[in-house]
Amino acid sequence: TFIDKIKKKREKAMEDVKLRESRNRANKTLLGCILVIAMELGTLTTLSNYIGGLCEKFGASVTQVVLIFSIASMVSLICNLISAVAIEKVPAKLLVLIGSIGYILFFAAVALGSSITILYVGAACFGVGQTFACFTALQPIITWWHVDNVGKKISFLSIAYCLAGFIFNLLIARAIKVIGFQSTFIAHGVITGTIMILCTVFLISNQPESYGLKPHGYKDITGGTGGYTASGLTVAQSFKTFTFWGIIIASICCGIGATGYVNSASLIYQDMGMDAVGAGNMMSIYSVMAIIWNFAYGAISDKLSPRKANFIFCAFSAAVFLIAAFMSGTAGCILIAVTFGAGTFNGMLAAVTFPPLYGTKAVGTLIAIGMVATSIGSMVAPIISSAMYEKTGSFSSFLFLGGILFAVALILIAVGTSKAAVAKIKAVSEPSAK
């Protein structure tokens, strides 16, 4: 009995040690993921500050330089498809490390290169970072390590990169004015790249099982998921409904409007009369407001319904894009900075809209396809916005197009989530249910 008590105490002590290690690794991993995405996406949302310098350095037009965003999005799209298989087989730290190295190679290509081809190679490397040092890899890592409040913890990623974008926009324009484009760009890459590498090596951990641990909060789970059966339509059945394709096309339309603004934001503000520093300030305001708009979209979806949230945000985005197309000066810039963040709901459109309609059986695949649609919108947006700018000499035509695209998305969502459309979805699912 005495020996048994000693064994139990040892086991309890070892269990406590593992619980502490699990908590520490989970918290460090969360912090690492937050910092990595803050550097990666915070940089992506502020790259338009460098467009003028890139045009001068590489002797290229705005359209040629802005093509880097399309190249990065295209490579990211390919990497997203690869990651669906790799995420379960390749150590998480290695994936994030690959993404971080891709990010650094982009800065190295710009700093050391002299031809537009090198710039495009760097953009392709940046696309690798957009996948493996971004949501695609970091969200599953957080899910592996945390049981409680997972949704809130994942939302920290969005808050982090918006805040980073706010800070970067404040600093970059001023730094370019003081120390020049090349020095600012190199400093940006060295500082952010170093942070990403350090976070990957010292903070982020692989799956808990590889250390003989359980996710943080695992012991708080009661009842488990036994008896749970995924329900709803299969992927093939979902493809047969207009609703699915309506949401997919709507995601592309919204993506073109929202991403076209982000990729050319600095130029848009300068086109409306701001100087580079003023444009940076407006972009910082946009980054802060985007946090509020993202939170509002989720809250309205939960309180009212995804359908109503989509209506409100599509209609509002269409209106402000159309109004901005006819405005200029400080008033127009402030309108854009404060309101255009509403268009960022596009990244959540599929994830919020599909589950209530199609159930849980194939929702992971459907949401993944929705993210592919968003990537397509992101890929073509900079080409469209820059081409329209060079043809007309103003971004007003693109802003007008953005308003039309949000209106088209509103119509597609209205038809796709109408009572008649939902009834057809139920009709497709009933035969399989029987």
Side-chain angles (χ1 to χ4, degrees):
T1 305
F2 178 72
I3 294 175
D4 289 340
K5 285 183 179 179
I6 293 176
K7 284 183 178 179
K8 285 182 180 179
K9 283 184 179 180
R10 274 185 188 169
E11 289 174 359
K12 182 66 168 63
M14 290 179 66
E15 188 177 337
D16 289 342
V17 169
K18 285 193 172 185
L19 286 173
R20 282 196 298 270
E21 185 181 354
S22 179
R23 181 181 65 248
N24 291 337
R25 282 188 179 272
N27 290 336
K28 286 181 179 179
T29 295
L30 177 61
L31 176 60
C33 290
I34 288 171
L35 291 174
V36 167
I37 204 164
M39 300 302 105
E40 161 65 39
L41 281 188
T43 294
L44 176 62
T45 60
T46 55
L47 278 181
S48 64
N49 285 289
Y50 293 117
I51 290 177
L54 290 170
C55 289
E56 186 177 343
K57 177 178 173 64
F58 292 97
S61 67
V62 172
T63 300
Q64 287 176 310
V65 168
V66 171
L67 189 59
I68 64 174
F69 296 109
S70 294
I71 293 171
S73 295
M74 182 170 59
V75 173
S76 178
L77 179 64
I78 296 170
C79 290
N80 273 319
L81 297 174
I82 295 172
S83 69
V85 177
I87 194 72
E88 295 290 343
K89 298 179 179 179
V90 180
K93 289 171 72 76
L94 179 57
L95 285 180
V96 181
L97 184 62
I98 291 171
S100 300
I101 292 172
Y103 173 91
I104 292 170
L105 287 176
F106 166 67
F107 281 87
V110 173
L112 302 176
S114 57
S115 71
I116 194 72
T117 303
I118 297 298
L119 176 62
Y120 291 158
V121 172
C125 294
F126 193 84
V128 175
Q130 278 185 252
T131 299
F132 298 123
C134 209
F135 285 117
T136 304
L138 300 179
Q139 285 181 341
I141 292 172
I142 292 174
T143 304
W144 290 336
W145 275 103
H146 294 268
V147 171
D148 301 320
N149 302 314
V150 175
K152 184 172 74 173
K153 289 169 183 174
I154 287 178
S155 73
F156 291 162
L157 300 180
S158 296
I159 294 172
Y161 86 75
C162 288
L163 287 175
F166 169 77
I167 295 169
F168 291 167
N169 278 315
L170 284 177
L171 296 176
I172 291 171
R174 288 167 174 78
I176 291 175
K177 211 169 187 179
V178 174
I179 62 176
F181 162 77
Q182 182 82 349
S183 297
T184 301
F185 197 83
I186 292 173
H188 186 162
V190 169
I191 294 170
T192 56
T194 299
I195 291 172
M196 291 172 72
I197 294 294
L198 291 175
C199 288
T200 304
V201 174
F202 296 108
L203 294 179
I204 294 175
S205 296
N206 295 319
Q207 293 193 40
E209 293 80 4
S210 63
Y211 307 98
L213 301 173
K214 300 288 186 183
H216 176 47
Y218 176 81
K219 296 204 74 164
D220 295 329
I221 298 177
T222 56
T225 56
Y228 170 78
T229 303
S231 59
L233 274 64
T234 64
V235 174
Q237 289 173 326
S238 302
F239 284 176
K240 295 177 182 177
T241 65
F242 170 82
T243 299
F244 173 79
W245 297 108
I247 299 300
I248 291 299
I249 296 172
S251 295
I252 296 173
C253 290
C254 295
I256 292 173
T259 309
Y261 156 76
V262 171
N263 291 159
S264 303
S266 181
L267 295 177
I268 290 174
Y269 291 122
Q270 291 180 62
D271 180 52
M272 297 180 79
M274 285 273 179
D275 61 14
V277 174
N281 291 336
M282 291 297 105
M283 291 164 69
S284 294
I285 294 172
Y286 166 84
S287 297
V288 173
M289 291 303 301
I291 298 173
I292 299 172
W293 286 116
N294 278 313
F295 177 81
Y297 177 76
I300 294 172
S301 296
D302 291 338
K303 285 235 173 196
L304 301 178
S305 70
R307 175 180 167 86
K308 290 179 180 177
N310 292 334
F311 274 17
I312 292 169
F313 277 72
C314 275
F316 181 79
S317 296
V320 295
F321 265 73
L322 290 172
I323 293 171
F326 297 97
M327 295 186 70
S328 61
T330 303
C333 292
I334 292 174
L335 171 72
I336 290 174
V338 172
T339 62
F340 272 30
T344 59
F345 81 96
N346 175 62
M348 298 177 280
L349 177 59
V352 168
T353 308
F354 282 149
L357 293 171
Y358 294 104
T360 56
K361 185 178 290 184
V363 73
T365 303
L366 299 183
I367 292 174
I369 297 172
M371 292 305 296
V372 170
T374 301
S375 296
I376 292 172
S378 299
M379 184 171 60
V380 301
I383 300 174
I384 295 173
S385 64
S386 60
M388 293 181 76
Y389 172 71
E390 292 203 334
K391 187 173 183 179
T392 64
S394 169
F395 279 102
S396 294
S397 57
F398 173 74
L399 295 178
F400 185 81
L401 173 64
I404 298 298
L405 289 173
F406 275 110
V408 170
L410 175 62
I411 295 170
L412 289 169
I413 292 170
V415 176
T417 58
S418 65
K419 288 183 179 179
V422 173
K424 288 182 180 178
I425 292 173
K426 290 181 178 178
V428 172
S429 63
E430 281 173 2
S432 60
K434 292 177 183 179

